[in-house]
Amino acid sequence: MNAQVSFQQVDVFTEVPFKGNPVAVVLDGSGLSTDEMQTIANWTNLSETTFVCSPTDPKADYSLRIFTPQSELPFAGHPTIGSAFALLKHGFKPKTPGGLVQECGSGLVSIHIDADKLFLTLPEPIIHSIDHAELADMASALGVPLTNVRASASIDVGAKWITLQLSNTDEVRSLRPDMSRVAALTPAGVTGVAVFGLAVPNTDSFVEVRSFAPGEGIAEDPVCGSGNGCVAVLMRQLGLIEESNYVASQGYCVGRNGRVEVRYEENGKILLGGHAVTCIEGKLHL
């Protein structure tokens, strides 16, 4: 090809450039083939690269295709927030003021515009238990005693994560996983492993999260939307949160300072979002 398309690299779940999770956003991907999209995603080498395309559903504002360096995902959280932010910054006008509707592999995702923040509505979760032997193997690969895994589930919110509660924030931060074993133990169709621990009271976040997806070419996702979504689902199921909202921190171990805001709605829905900031803007030469 010999063309140019508008491009932004957006840092998500932060107000401070270079402290969140970057996503590469190609703002007009309709003319690109799947192979071309995958090649670009492999080249950017970010956890996700997205391509904004024309929707097929009349209720949607746009369609979004989401790629890791190795494969396409039906849904992911921080690319959804970052792509919506990039579109709005580029001058896109929603069909309905105050919100956007994204079409993706998981269906339609509603995005709420709240002043300078964006919140996605988490897809309806599917929750499964984890076999004891498989859980023991994964705990060993993470380098944590099985007795310190307080709760576990395999949760699908469009992206599927093995989701584990550990003893506390310090244990989450001290993990040094064997990434080759984590990749080998991650079942087909599962993005990776999301671990969390509750923080001590009176800190600026309620929970610490880390997300490992070496099977997708991402050893550690700096600040993961879908992983945090799975954590929010499990925390609600376990009754760990009494408030209608909380803030999760993620990225400390990779030099970031992400903040993910979670809101539990009265209708049972979970909203997840926060700030975003553009770090690169220009043209991608194809």
Side-chain angles (χ1 to χ4, degrees), residues 85-145:
F85 179 85
L87 269 175
L88 293 171
K89 190 175 187 299
H90 195 62
F92 185 85
K93 301 299 182 184
K95 291 181 178 179
T96 303
L100 294 161
V101 177
Q102 171 187 291
E103 181 182 62
C104 60
S106 292
L108 298 180
V109 177
S110 297
I111 301 165
H112 176 61
I113 303 170
D114 184 1
D116 58 347
K117 300 178 184 178
L118 294 172
F119 288 84
L120 62 85
T121 302
L122 201 68
E124 194 67 27
I126 301 170
I127 307 170
H128 294 289
S129 60
I130 302 174
D131 177 80
H132 180 79
E134 293 176 357
L135 181 60
D137 286 342
M138 187 59 78
S140 174
L142 291 170
V144 63

Side-chain angles (χ1 to χ4, degrees), residues 7-242:
F7 171 87
Q8 290 186 38
Q9 188 163 305
V10 177
D11 216 10
V12 185
F13 299 128
T14 182
E15 294 181 89
V16 182
F18 320 123
K19 288 298 182 179
N21 196 1
V23 58
V25 184
V26 177
L27 288 160
D28 184 7
S30 295
L32 299 175
S33 69
T34 297
D35 286 346
E36 288 167 334
M37 292 180 184
Q38 187 64 73
T39 296
I40 293 169
N42 180 266
W43 173 76
T44 68
N45 201 34
L46 296 176
S47 57
E48 282 97 3
T49 299
T50 67
F51 300 84
V52 180
C53 303
S54 300
T56 60
D57 190 313
K59 295 187 289 293
D61 287 279
Y62 58 93
S63 175
L64 194 71
R65 298 187 67 180
I66 306 167
F67 290 79
T68 74
Q70 297 185 10
S71 64
E72 184 171 8
L73 299 177
F75 168 79
H78 102 270
T80 294
I81 297 293
S83 300
F85 179 85
L87 269 175
L88 293 171
K89 190 175 187 299
H90 195 62
F92 185 85
K93 301 299 182 184
K95 291 181 178 179
T96 303
L100 294 161
V101 177
Q102 171 187 291
E103 181 182 62
C104 60
S106 292
L108 298 180
V109 177
S110 297
I111 301 165
H112 176 61
I113 303 170
D114 184 1
D116 58 347
K117 300 178 184 178
L118 294 172
F119 288 84
L120 62 85
T121 302
L122 201 68
E124 194 67 27
I126 301 170
I127 307 170
H128 294 289
S129 60
I130 302 174
D131 177 80
H132 180 79
E134 293 176 357
L135 181 60
D137 286 342
M138 187 59 78
S140 174
L142 291 170
V144 63
L146 181 58
T147 52
N148 288 15
V149 179
R150 296 192 171 186
S152 65
S154 176
I155 302 176
D156 187 346
V157 292
K160 185 184 294 185
W161 290 87
I162 296 170
T163 309
L164 309 179
Q165 181 194 4
L166 302 186
S167 300
N168 52 51
T169 291
D170 289 341
E171 186 168 42
V172 171
R173 288 187 172 183
S174 66
L175 289 177
R176 298 295 182 268
D178 181 334
M179 292 299 180
S180 61
R181 288 190 65 201
V182 172
L185 291 169
T186 302
V190 176
T191 303
V193 184
V195 300
F196 72 97
L198 299 185
V200 298
N202 302 318
T203 54
D204 64 349
S205 65
F206 184 77
V207 61
E208 182 81 16
V209 178
R210 293 179 73 183
S211 308
F212 307 109
E216 292 289 345
I218 309 151
E220 181 164 359
D221 196 335
V223 196
C224 180
S226 60
N228 270 277
C230 292
V231 168
V233 170
L234 186 55
M235 291 215 312
R236 181 174 64 181
Q237 186 184 59
L238 296 171
L240 296 179
I241 179 74
E242 296 180 358

